[in-house]
Amino acid sequence: MSIERVLEGFATAFGRPADGVWSAPGRVNLIGEHTDYNEGFVLPFAIDHRTWVAVGLRPDRTIRVASASVDEVGTSTLDEVGPGAVAGWSAYPFGTVWGLGQVMSAGGASLDAARGFDAYFVSDVPTGAGLSSSAALECSLAVALNDEWALALSGPDLVRATHLAENDVVGAPTGILDQSASLLSEEDAALFLDCRTGESRTVSLGLVEAGLTILVIDTRVTHAHADGGYASRRAGCERAAAALGVKALRDVAVADLEAARGRMDEEAYLRMRHIVTENQRVLDTVAVLDATGAAGIGDLMVASHVSQRDDFEVSVPELDVAVDTSVAAGALGARLTGGGFGGSAIALVPDDLVGEVTAQVTAAFAEHGFKEPKIFAVTPSAGARRDR
Ligand code: ADP
Ligand code: MG
């Protein structure tokens, strides 16, 4: 049991008992890819893989972080954790501390009177598989410190703090999708999030009643050029928005696409077409889920994959084989999830075909000479919380 493990780890690392245990989940994005930084819509859900943190306050302003997954223990103080000050994995937890300070300052308060802490992390969220282990790490600590320091920050405040950590201290220019999913999700539901306003609502998934399972197919491919690819996709979106004189591609409708084609370079047009149609697919998916349930969203998932493959060009052969084989084996839909260039696909599979889909995808990977994929079911789970 991970709660016991994290308490033991804390005691061994720091020679005293912890005050409590908190946790936050990784996430899968059901649909809505690369729309977040275009001020559009996303529909993630939290998964049943979590990062647990045991925290104990200290009498001084020192902060120390240790993790079962890393040897290096990070040490700093509450006053030295801003952008540029931290390297390595400590940037995530220390950045979270700084982000909380920023959000407190914006509300006219501060962390000047806060006590330092020791924290120990244990996680079963795979890292770098597109399941957002980084947000799970940040968000577990954010809910812990919100309680320990009695900050009374809201869920959206904690999203802001952890998003600041990832953008400004870690230096990853991502949107609010990951942290929102990890903090705000509810059991058996997806989170419909408007990345322009930050407003969100829970959309019931009802997978158990529908007899459906969501499989994650981790291709175990990580592409070295993912960062550059991400930056160039963002740049394409920005060129398209500038050419049309809109603040963000959120402001373009599917009906505007054809007329816009000649007004920018073709690459920018294709990037835009993915974003604009993907926003519409998120809205359509939410409408179908509300009206008839998850059994009806398979075609939207496949259309999302095709758009990411052909227009946004973030797929790789492993992801295409995962998606095509899943659907051929009886999945209702499948798509790459996360930023692309590797990572994971998801498939929506009738419960009785889970074995078949798993076997066929595994066989197809072997046939193509790909690395063996990791295939596992995920359960839509509750967001960050106190466990003990
Ligand atoms: P993803 O969020 O998709 O898993 P990222 O590259 O955004 O991938 O984040 C992964 C990084 O987050 C790891 O390389 C590591 O630095 C840090 N990390 C995540 N989980 C842990 C953990 N439990 N302990 C220490 N570091 C972690
Ligand atoms: Mg991440």
Side-chain angles (χ1 to χ4, degrees), residues 274-345:
H274 165 70
I275 298 300
V276 171
T277 57
E278 185 80 349
N279 272 329
Q280 188 58 49
R281 281 186 290 271
V282 176
L283 298 175
D284 292 348
T285 301
V286 170
V288 171
L289 287 170
D290 283 344
T292 55
I297 67 170
D299 292 347
L300 288 159
M301 293 172 73
V302 172
S304 168
H305 184 77
V306 168
S307 176
Q308 292 186 86
R309 184 190 66 198
D310 299 345
D311 283 0
F312 219 64
E313 297 182 273
V314 289
S315 192
V316 294
E318 288 83 350
L319 287 164
D320 295 338
V321 167
V323 167
D324 294 345
T325 310
S326 300
V327 172
L332 303 182
R335 58 184 289 280
L336 91 74
T337 184
F341 305 105
S344 299

Side-chain angles (χ1 to χ4, degrees), residues 110-370:
S110 77
L111 296 179
D112 291 351
R115 290 159 62 192
F117 64 87
D118 296 325
Y120 185 85
F121 297 89
V122 168
S123 181
D124 67 4
V125 185
T127 54
L131 303 178
S132 207
S133 66
S134 61
L137 180 65
E138 294 151 358
C139 296
S140 63
L141 185 63
V143 285
L145 295 176
N146 194 32
D147 283 354
E148 285 279 70
W149 289 336
L151 303 179
L153 292 174
S154 68
D157 288 336
L158 298 179
V159 170
R160 265 189 292 286
T162 48
H163 181 237
L164 278 172
E166 183 114 14
N167 276 196
D168 293 2
V169 181
V170 176
T174 54
I176 60 170
L177 188 164
D178 297 352
Q179 291 79 14
S180 300
S182 185
L183 286 161
L184 308 177
S185 289
E186 291 176 25
E187 222 167 280
D188 197 27
L191 187 78
F192 175 37
L193 175 66
D194 181 337
C195 297
R196 170 164 276 172
T197 64
E199 280 167 16
S200 65
R201 100 169 150 86
T202 291
V203 181
S204 176
L205 286 172
L207 294 179
V208 174
E209 303 88 89
L212 294 171
T213 296
I214 293 178
L215 288 181
V216 169
I217 303 162
D218 175 4
T219 64
R220 301 173 63 214
V221 177
T222 45
H223 274 246
H225 62 264
D227 286 351
Y230 191 88
S232 89
R233 297 309 178 280
R234 273 192 92 126
C237 294
E238 283 160 16
R239 282 206 308 285
L244 297 181
V246 293
K247 178 162 177 280
L249 292 183
R250 157 68 172 276
D251 299 311
V252 182
V254 174
D256 303 334
L257 281 173
E258 270 318 310
R261 189 159 203 159
R263 297 177 57 189
M264 63 193 71
D265 64 274
E266 184 66 7
E267 183 184 290
Y269 175 75
L270 292 175
R271 304 303 184 240
M272 172 175 77
R273 188 165 70 180
H274 165 70
I275 298 300
V276 171
T277 57
E278 185 80 349
N279 272 329
Q280 188 58 49
R281 281 186 290 271
V282 176
L283 298 175
D284 292 348
T285 301
V286 170
V288 171
L289 287 170
D290 283 344
T292 55
I297 67 170
D299 292 347
L300 288 159
M301 293 172 73
V302 172
S304 168
H305 184 77
V306 168
S307 176
Q308 292 186 86
R309 184 190 66 198
D310 299 345
D311 283 0
F312 219 64
E313 297 182 273
V314 289
S315 192
V316 294
E318 288 83 350
L319 287 164
D320 295 338
V321 167
V323 167
D324 294 345
T325 310
S326 300
V327 172
L332 303 182
R335 58 184 289 280
L336 91 74
T337 184
F341 305 105
S344 299
I346 52 169
L348 180 67
V349 185
D351 292 340
D352 56 350
L353 290 177
V354 165
E356 187 62 26
V357 170
T358 304
Q360 290 205 24
V361 172
T362 305
F365 269 56
E367 237 166 70
H368 283 83
F370 299 159

Side-chain angles (χ1 to χ4, degrees), residues 22-40:
W22 292 258
S23 68
R27 64 96 188 95
V28 152
N29 195 18
L30 188 57
I31 196 160
E33 220 65 72
H34 291 274
T35 45
D36 61 348
Y37 55 82
N38 289 289
E39 303 189 5

